[in-house]
Amino acid sequence: MTTRPIHAILIGAGNRGADSYAPYALQHPQELRFVAVAEPDPVRRARFASAHNIPIERQFSGWEELLDRPPLGEAALVCTQDWQHTAPALAAMRAGYHVLLEKPMAPTEKECRTLVKTSEETGQQLHICHVLRYTAHGKKLSEILHSGQLGEIVDIDHRENVSWWHMAHSFVRGAWRNADQSNPMILAKCCHDLDFLPWISGQTCVRLSSTGSLLEFKADHAPAGAPKRCTDGCPVQASCIYYAPWLYMELVPFWRSFVATGQGLPAALIRTYLKSPQLIRAASAVVPFLRQVTQYRGWPLGVLAEDPTPENILHALQTGPYGRCVYACDNNVVDHQVVMMEFSGGASVTLTMHGHSHIEYRSTKVEGTRGRLMAELGNGGAWITVDDHRSGKRQRFNTSGPTGEGHGGGDAELMAGFVASVRGQAAPLTPARESLASHLLAFAAETSRLKHSVVETSDFFPGKPA
């Protein structure tokens, strides 16, 4: 007997919803089909509806009208801006949908708890997009640590190395620049990592402390004579690493990060592109892969313009937020923060997040009583090495995802897991209460940073039911 695909609605047809998660339905039409969309931007709404053959009567400018009617399917993806997550996710669960909710769950502890409580009261599943659990890299790392191969875990040093250009894009010029309008950066960027560390170790955090601040992106650091916008004749445009036309029109730092963590032919071709762009543009006429580079239209360009042609990107820089001088923005989130944790098994765990890395990648170093593990996960690829104390033997694992797939293949695997869970074929890899725990750690870390205190996690967990 043929089983029809899961019918889903999309609330928020932006970068993550339309471009990262929804393509799974086009690649696996027998598993998932989108039957309605709610998106206030008419261009995004029409583009998504066209791609997924959604009729006009199921296209909505707001989620309220969509969720006021009887359910059109089994699942809802809520991919709005962070501060807009709670209301549509609650309404979707109460309307009878299982929900996949983009991270972070919500900007406040109270809202996060309400989301989990509503999931449990309604019996509707709530999945948070902790994509690191779904990568080949994350699964292999977790497998090694749980196997006991390293002995007892003594120390974990995990780093979220946000590249300097990504910091400028998302957390200085972009939507996550101001904690009063979005979230603290430790929540917006690192709820992934605060979920990942307890998951791979099989332990929980019992206490933590945190320090951090905004170091670089402040008005008094602006070069002499710098205008408010890069395109208004900046006197240091030839040397400023944050000069917006160079970042977005040429994308050199973006491709450098791919090359630095990549391997094989794709990395070699992009390396050649950085040295000889005209050669690769000519070769792209006969090598389809190269068009993914020479005609690239994805993140971060798609954030600046719906149709990211060079002309439209330049117009966006001349008129929009991404063309502002990084020293003349209304940003207030930190650009570096450290969270020091004691885990339930006695391990010392450190999470370092900073926005000045030369390239974009996560790194993990685990010291055990019997061995050591070192790992890196970047835009171009991933690997893990394990060294045994006694034998000196080294194992190396290539944990790279498919080239060009988001989060090392984690986006697609997340969708596969969500569909299987809605079908009742698998349990959620990230139960809602575990997702809540990671968010509570982020709130605890921010409390510690602001109050210069050590926080016992029991102050955030027991006695405070969702």
Side-chain angles (χ1 to χ4, degrees):
M1 181 177 67
T2 302
T3 304
R4 74 162 177 82
I6 294 295
H7 285 182
I9 62 173
L10 178 67
I11 299 173
N15 175 258
R16 296 301 294 159
D19 300 333
S20 297
Y21 302 136
Y24 187 86
L26 303 177
Q27 299 157 3
H28 305 276
Q30 74 284 1
E31 296 183 26
L32 181 67
R33 178 188 171 200
F34 282 94
V35 297
V37 59
E39 164 58 50
D41 186 293
V43 175
R44 291 182 177 181
R45 185 169 68 247
R47 183 175 60 192
F48 184 83
S50 175
H52 294 268
N53 296 312
I54 297 174
I56 189 65
E57 64 270 16
R58 291 190 173 186
Q59 301 173 31
F60 304 90
S61 60
W63 57 265
E64 295 90 344
E65 186 180 357
L66 170 56
L67 294 178
D68 276 346
R69 60 180 57 203
L72 300 174
E74 298 84 10
L77 275 67
V78 178
C79 302
T80 55
Q81 286 292 323
D82 299 351
W83 58 274
Q84 298 172 317
H85 282 178
T86 304
L90 292 175
M93 287 187 284
R94 290 166 179 158
Y97 292 97
H98 300 297
V99 171
L100 179 70
L101 178 61
E102 176 62 316
K103 66 84 187 172
M105 299 167 68
T108 69
E109 178 186 345
K110 181 179 179 180
E111 290 174 81
C112 290
R113 292 182 182 278
T114 299
L115 285 163
V116 175
K117 182 179 181 181
T118 301
S119 170
E120 294 173 350
E121 289 177 346
T122 61
Q124 301 304 124
Q125 297 178 28
L126 175 64
H127 299 243
I128 310 303
C129 297
H130 288 305
V131 294
L132 294 182
R133 291 195 182 206
Y134 293 86
T135 62
H137 183 77
K139 291 176 182 178
K140 186 63 178 179
L141 213 162
S142 177
E143 175 191 318
I144 294 169
L145 265 61
H146 283 82
S147 73
Q149 183 176 351
L150 299 180
E152 293 294 319
I153 298 174
V154 178
D155 181 83
I156 302 178
D157 176 16
H158 181 79
R159 301 179 67 86
E160 166 63 294
N161 303 292
V162 182
S163 66
W164 51 275
W165 55 268
H166 185 182
M167 178 75 199
H169 171 76
S170 294
F171 303 100
V172 179
R173 292 168 165 144
W176 294 272
R177 67 190 181 277
N178 191 301
D180 302 322
Q181 300 172 17
S182 57
N183 307 291
M185 190 172 174
I186 197 67
L187 176 66
K189 195 74 183 80
C190 292
C191 66
H192 275 319
D193 306 274
L194 291 168
D195 172 75
F196 187 67
L197 290 166
W199 178 65
I200 62 172
S201 66
Q203 301 181 31
T204 58
C205 176
V206 296
R207 64 183 52 86
L208 62 77
S209 63
S210 183
T211 61
S213 65
L214 175 60
L215 183 69
E216 171 64 8
F217 304 101
K218 298 182 289 189
D220 59 358
H221 285 199
K228 299 296 185 182
R229 185 173 295 277
C230 292
T231 52
D232 289 347
C234 182
V236 297
Q237 65 183 49
S239 60
C240 179
I241 63 174
Y242 300 109
Y243 181 58
W246 179 68
L247 287 178
Y248 294 108
M249 304 295 287
E250 300 182 38
L251 287 179
V252 172
F254 176 85
W255 293 120
R256 281 177 182 166
S257 275
F258 185 96
V259 168
T261 56
Q263 53 198 320
L265 183 59
L269 290 171
I270 294 174
R271 190 177 294 111
T272 302
Y273 174 72
L274 290 171
K275 294 178 179 179
S276 306
Q278 295 302 325
L279 173 64
I280 297 301
R281 288 192 183 103
S284 68
V286 292
V287 182
F289 167 76
L290 295 179
R291 294 171 205 153
Q292 297 182 42
V293 180
T294 60
Q295 301 175 25
Y296 183 75
R297 299 167 65 86
W299 183 90
L301 299 183
V303 179
L304 274 69
E306 293 299 332
D307 181 17
T309 63
E311 296 77 15
N312 289 343
I313 292 298
L314 179 58
H315 178 72
L317 298 182
Q318 293 170 335
T319 60
Y322 294 95
R324 293 180 295 176
C325 173
V326 294
Y327 304 106
C329 296
D330 60 336
N331 59 298
N332 64 9
V333 299
V334 302
D335 59 5
H336 65 111
Q337 187 167 351
V338 178
V339 185
M340 296 151 283
M341 295 171 277
E342 179 185 339
F343 271 25
S344 54
S348 300
V349 180
T350 304
L351 166 62
T352 299
M353 177 275 299
H354 72 108
H356 297 278
S357 180
H358 182 60
I359 60 171
E360 184 93 353
Y361 72 108
R362 283 180 167 92
S363 61
T364 310
K365 183 178 181 180
V366 183
E367 300 285 2
T369 56
R370 300 183 63 85
R372 175 185 68 176
L373 177 147
M374 294 186 294
E376 287 190 4
L377 170 65
N379 292 342
W383 54 265
I384 297 172
T385 62
V386 179
D387 296 295
D388 182 77
H389 286 347
R390 175 62 188 254
S391 67
K393 178 181 177 182
R394 167 168 287 190
Q395 295 175 285
R396 182 177 175 90
F397 305 93
N398 183 345
T399 53
S400 304
T403 300
E405 290 201 7
H407 288 100
D411 290 347
E413 289 300 313
L414 167 73
M415 289 302 300
F418 177 61
V419 169
S421 183
V422 171
R423 286 194 187 281
Q425 298 170 341
L429 184 57
T430 312
R433 282 205 167 266
E434 289 188 25
S435 293
L436 174 61
S438 71
H439 287 61
L440 295 180
L441 287 179
F443 293 124
E446 190 65 359
T447 296
S448 172
R449 184 184 76 85
L450 294 173
K451 294 186 176 181
H452 308 287
S453 63
V454 175
V455 174
E456 301 287 335
T457 57
S458 58
D459 294 340
F460 276 77
F461 289 81
K464 290 189 177 182

